Amino acid sequence: MKINKFLKAFKGKPYEGHVVFKYYAIDNSIRSPLDEFIVELRDHITEVAKNEPYMGEKMLLKWLNFLHEIEKLRAQNEHSITFKQVTKLASQCHITRQDQLFAMLHFHHDLGNIVYYGERDTPDSALNDIIIIIPQWLIFIFKLVITVKDPSDQKLLEKKLDEEGLLEVRLLRRMWQDFLEKVEALLELMQKFDLLYDRLFYVPSLLKENDGDEMVLLDKLTKLKTAAVLYVDFDGFLPEGLYYRLVVRIVLWSQQRKLDEGYNPRLFYQQVKVYIDHNHDAIFRILPERRSCIQIVVYRLKVGHEQLEPSPSVCKEVLELIATNLQDIGQKWMKRVVFTTVFCPCNVCSIEKVHLHKLEECLESTPRYGPDDEMDTRKIRRLFGKKEENPACEDTAQDNLNVPGYLRYLIGIYKDIPSPILPFDIMTEVCVLLDPKNIADYNDWRGVACKVGYDRYINHLDTTMNSPTMCVMYEWCEKGLSLEAFKACMNDMNRNDVVRLIDEYLTNKEV
């Protein structure tokens, strides 16, 4: 029987607890209200409703009278009213105190009788002045956005909406021309639903599948060996609505960091690429082969021929961004949907065989997941772990008397360097050698700056920093570049004096 297939499909699903598994065979051709199965079904519905936790709760009579007044307005096809009208209706029902009025409005909102997001402590918000008494009217309003067809001169804006899922306010005003007095309130309402950022609307249902060259590029970026890749698992159930709310918040965060005009994120169905800073981008997408997971990929933009690891500070900032917003979305909108674990991909298994390990366990130690296979967690701990204490830095800070006075200002910069490739005394000697500019050959600190992508900041470093070499070495270490790479760089620049220092250091270290 078909009914058995439906019942079997419900088993093990997150919503299984909301399904009543008893079924009734009803003959629709029988009109008699005394049909035994209809009577039994009606009694069963009543029984289930009585067992709901909200049954038996008391409602103030004047709150019920207010709802009756709302019903009269609905009968007149009024879809929404202002706060002034609500105040007048409430006073007729003997509700005069502001706190009682807001409590009643929120109560009826929770029951689904009205839609109201105003707050007593935000009197200037446009949301305070719109009370939607026919909730289905919102569906009509949003339908105008999704089904827009305008043969006039709005073709360019419509193309942007159709192809990129982005809706500009000027086109929206045209769609809502019959409700212009309510546009600001509706804009705030869409922002409340996480549909709006930077006065542009993000319309998920109109986003296109990622295909063609863009698809190839984004897939290539997600598989970079140097990229930081994480997964947020939702235990088998990830509502698309939650993902889209998260994406809008991420895009807003990205736009606030991007000061240049004209930048837009790359938005696709279930996938987005956003700007982080001038060195980093990130991709957020629902994992195609595991649709209850959100995949997060943070990568550094390519410098010359090198593809470097992203900055640990950026990786941790993105992780905090995701965790904070998911927690907020869960508390406000989807309390039953809980993400509990962030995972990182196993680097022992093949790429085709995707399986994940808990990030928190990878940060604690190097876990062993089999008799022969041990996952290397050094990269994960380097990018997402707490900054490890550097004994060399502490010794240097505590022994300032052994550092020449004119070099002591370097101590603070050196202490902040993540995993320095040289001890402080050797690093200061490198600074002494590379800080003086060599106009002829350009083989001083500026050559190192170009190597790490700091060529655009050379003038700034030259005029504001006492030791630009230490500053560019900070970036060298943060990018995870090795001492061997630095030595090769010095060889390329014909800086034999620095190469000699490095060789002496390595020789003494071996001894």
Side-chain angles (χ1 to χ4, degrees):
M1 294 178 63
K2 289 184 178 180
I3 190 67
N4 290 331
K5 292 183 179 180
F6 286 116
L7 296 177
K8 185 177 179 181
F10 294 144
K11 291 291 186 180
K13 297 296 189 298
Y15 46 80
E16 181 184 2
H18 301 284
V19 178
V20 177
F21 283 93
K22 186 175 181 180
Y23 63 92
Y24 298 85
I26 304 296
D27 187 349
N28 291 333
S29 64
I30 300 177
R31 299 297 179 183
S32 172
L34 299 179
D35 179 87
E36 58 176 322
F37 291 113
I38 292 180
V39 173
E40 188 178 351
L41 173 61
R42 184 176 58 198
D43 292 343
H44 193 177
I45 292 174
T46 302
E47 179 185 351
V48 171
K50 285 182 178 179
N51 290 329
E52 289 299 307
Y54 53 80
M55 293 300 291
E57 290 186 3
K58 295 180 180 180
M59 181 193 300
L60 292 174
L61 181 60
K62 50 188 176 182
W63 288 15
L64 187 60
N65 291 336
F66 174 84
L67 184 59
H68 290 161
E69 295 298 322
I70 293 295
E71 293 288 354
K72 292 178 183 178
L73 292 176
R74 288 177 183 160
Q76 301 171 14
N77 292 323
E78 290 285 345
H79 51 71
S80 61
I81 55 178
T82 65
F83 191 77
K84 184 177 180 180
Q85 291 173 289
V86 160
T87 303
K88 184 177 179 180
L89 284 178
S91 64
Q92 293 173 2
C93 300
H94 307 290
I95 304 169
T96 56
R97 287 171 45 185
Q98 285 282 300
D99 58 340
Q100 289 186 355
L101 175 58
F102 276 96
M104 179 192 66
L105 291 175
H106 291 153
F107 175 79
H108 285 303
H109 169 90
D110 291 340
L111 290 181
N113 297 325
I114 62 173
V115 176
Y116 184 64
Y117 286 101
E119 297 290 347
R120 188 181 180 188
D121 56 354
T122 57
D124 297 329
S125 171
L127 289 178
N128 276 39
D129 200 40
I130 182 169
I131 297 91
I132 298 169
I133 61 177
I134 302 181
Q136 291 82 357
W137 178 68
L138 276 181
I139 299 175
F140 168 73
I141 289 295
F142 297 152
K143 184 183 72 174
L144 292 178
V145 175
I146 298 171
T147 61
V148 58
K149 297 293 178 185
D150 192 339
S152 67
D153 58 351
Q154 302 295 316
K155 288 293 184 183
L156 185 61
L157 296 177
E158 291 177 21
K159 183 178 179 182
K160 192 171 186 178
L161 173 63
D162 183 57
E163 294 183 357
E164 301 180 36
L166 295 175
L167 172 64
E168 294 193 14
V169 172
R170 49 184 170 153
L171 179 58
L172 188 65
R173 290 184 183 278
R174 189 179 185 87
M175 298 174 187
W176 291 346
Q177 56 186 329
D178 295 334
F179 316 104
L180 289 179
E181 75 282 359
K182 294 181 172 63
V183 165
E184 287 304 317
L186 290 172
L187 289 178
E188 282 201 32
L189 190 59
M190 293 187 79
Q191 192 167 24
K192 183 79 174 178
F193 292 154
D194 288 320
L195 292 175
L196 174 67
Y197 72 91
D198 197 26
R199 308 306 280 180
L200 280 177
F201 289 91
Y202 170 50
V203 189
S205 62
L206 295 181
L207 290 177
K208 302 298 182 183
E209 291 278 359
N210 186 3
D211 55 13
D213 295 339
E214 190 78 27
M215 178 69 170
V216 173
L217 175 61
L218 290 185
D219 279 350
K220 184 178 178 181
L221 291 173
T222 60
K223 295 174 182 176
L224 286 174
K225 290 184 178 180
T226 54
V229 183
L230 291 179
Y231 298 88
V232 184
D233 183 63
F234 290 82
D235 195 21
F237 179 56
L238 169 59
E240 279 195 13
L242 184 149
Y243 166 77
Y244 289 127
R245 287 181 185 276
L246 176 64
V247 165
V248 170
R249 294 182 180 213
I250 291 169
V251 170
L252 177 60
W253 171 83
S254 172
Q255 293 290 89
Q256 290 171 344
R257 297 167 67 97
K258 182 70 176 177
L259 300 180
D260 299 338
E261 294 183 0
Y263 174 84
N264 282 321
R266 298 296 296 149
L267 292 164
F268 301 96
Y269 177 65
Q270 297 186 350
Q271 186 167 251
V272 60
K273 184 178 78 169
V274 296
Y275 166 95
I276 298 180
D277 60 30
H278 64 276
N279 284 327
H280 299 83
D281 282 350
I283 297 171
F284 301 83
R285 67 173 184 169
I286 295 178
L287 192 62
E289 62 270 24
R290 193 167 178 165
R291 303 189 67 81
S292 62
C293 278
I294 294 178
Q295 183 188 49
I296 304 143
V297 182
V298 182
Y299 62 95
R300 188 185 287 270
L301 303 181
K302 199 169 184 179
V303 180
H305 298 291
E306 291 190 85
Q307 188 72 57
L308 306 173
E309 285 185 357
S311 164
S313 60
V314 168
C315 293
K316 284 178 273 195
E317 185 178 9
V318 171
L319 180 60
E320 178 65 23
L321 171 75
I322 296 297
T324 301
N325 279 287
L326 282 177
Q327 184 178 21
D328 185 63
I329 292 171
Q331 289 176 347
K332 290 182 178 179
W333 300 103
M334 302 180 183
K335 295 181 180 179
R336 293 183 181 272
V337 179
V338 180
F339 85 98
T340 55
T341 313
V342 177
F343 293 91
C344 47
C346 181
N347 55 25
V348 174
C349 304
S350 63
I351 296 177
E352 292 76 15
K353 183 184 176 183
V354 177
H355 85 271
L356 311 174
H357 301 302
K358 292 182 180 180
L359 175 64
E360 57 190 30
E361 294 179 359
C362 293
L363 293 179
E364 289 177 0
S365 61
T366 303
R368 187 179 295 276
Y369 294 102
D372 301 314
D373 295 335
E374 184 175 292
M375 181 175 172
D376 185 355
T377 61
R378 287 176 297 177
K379 176 183 173 182
I380 297 167
R381 285 182 286 174
R382 183 166 65 248
L383 296 181
F384 294 100
K386 295 180 180 179
K387 185 177 177 182
E388 296 181 359
E389 298 295 333
N390 190 318
C393 296
E394 296 299 325
D395 294 342
T396 303
Q398 295 172 6
D399 195 16
N400 289 347
L401 295 179
N402 294 332
V403 181
Y406 69 95
L407 292 176
R408 288 180 189 172
Y409 69 92
L410 295 175
I411 295 173
I413 303 176
Y414 182 81
K415 283 188 66 178
D416 289 334
I417 293 179
S419 304
I421 59 175
L422 288 168
F424 179 75
D425 57 339
I426 307 299
M427 193 81 86
T428 54
E429 290 189 59
V430 172
C431 292
V432 170
L433 292 172
L434 294 182
D435 276 342
K437 289 196 295 185
N438 188 330
I439 304 299
D441 297 330
Y442 210 69
N443 64 346
D444 45 53
W445 64 269
R446 294 170 297 173
V448 186
C450 293
K451 191 73 173 177
V452 296
Y454 266 26
D455 44 313
R456 72 187 79 176
Y457 304 121
I458 284 177
N459 289 335
H460 172 75
L461 293 173
D462 191 26
T463 56
T464 60
M465 299 295 172
N466 291 326
S467 177
T469 302
M470 187 66 84
C471 294
V472 295
M473 289 306 295
Y474 178 101
E475 182 67 10
W476 184 282
C477 297
E478 187 172 88
K479 286 186 174 181
L481 296 174
S482 65
L483 177 58
E484 290 74 15
F486 181 63
K487 179 181 175 181
C489 176
M490 293 297 100
N491 273 318
D492 292 341
M493 292 167 52
N494 295 319
R495 290 306 301 249
N496 297 326
D497 49 352
V498 179
V499 172
R500 193 180 307 111
L501 271 177
I502 296 173
D503 286 340
E504 290 175 359
Y505 163 68
L506 293 174
T507 300
N508 293 332
K509 186 177 180 182
E510 291 176 359
V511 174

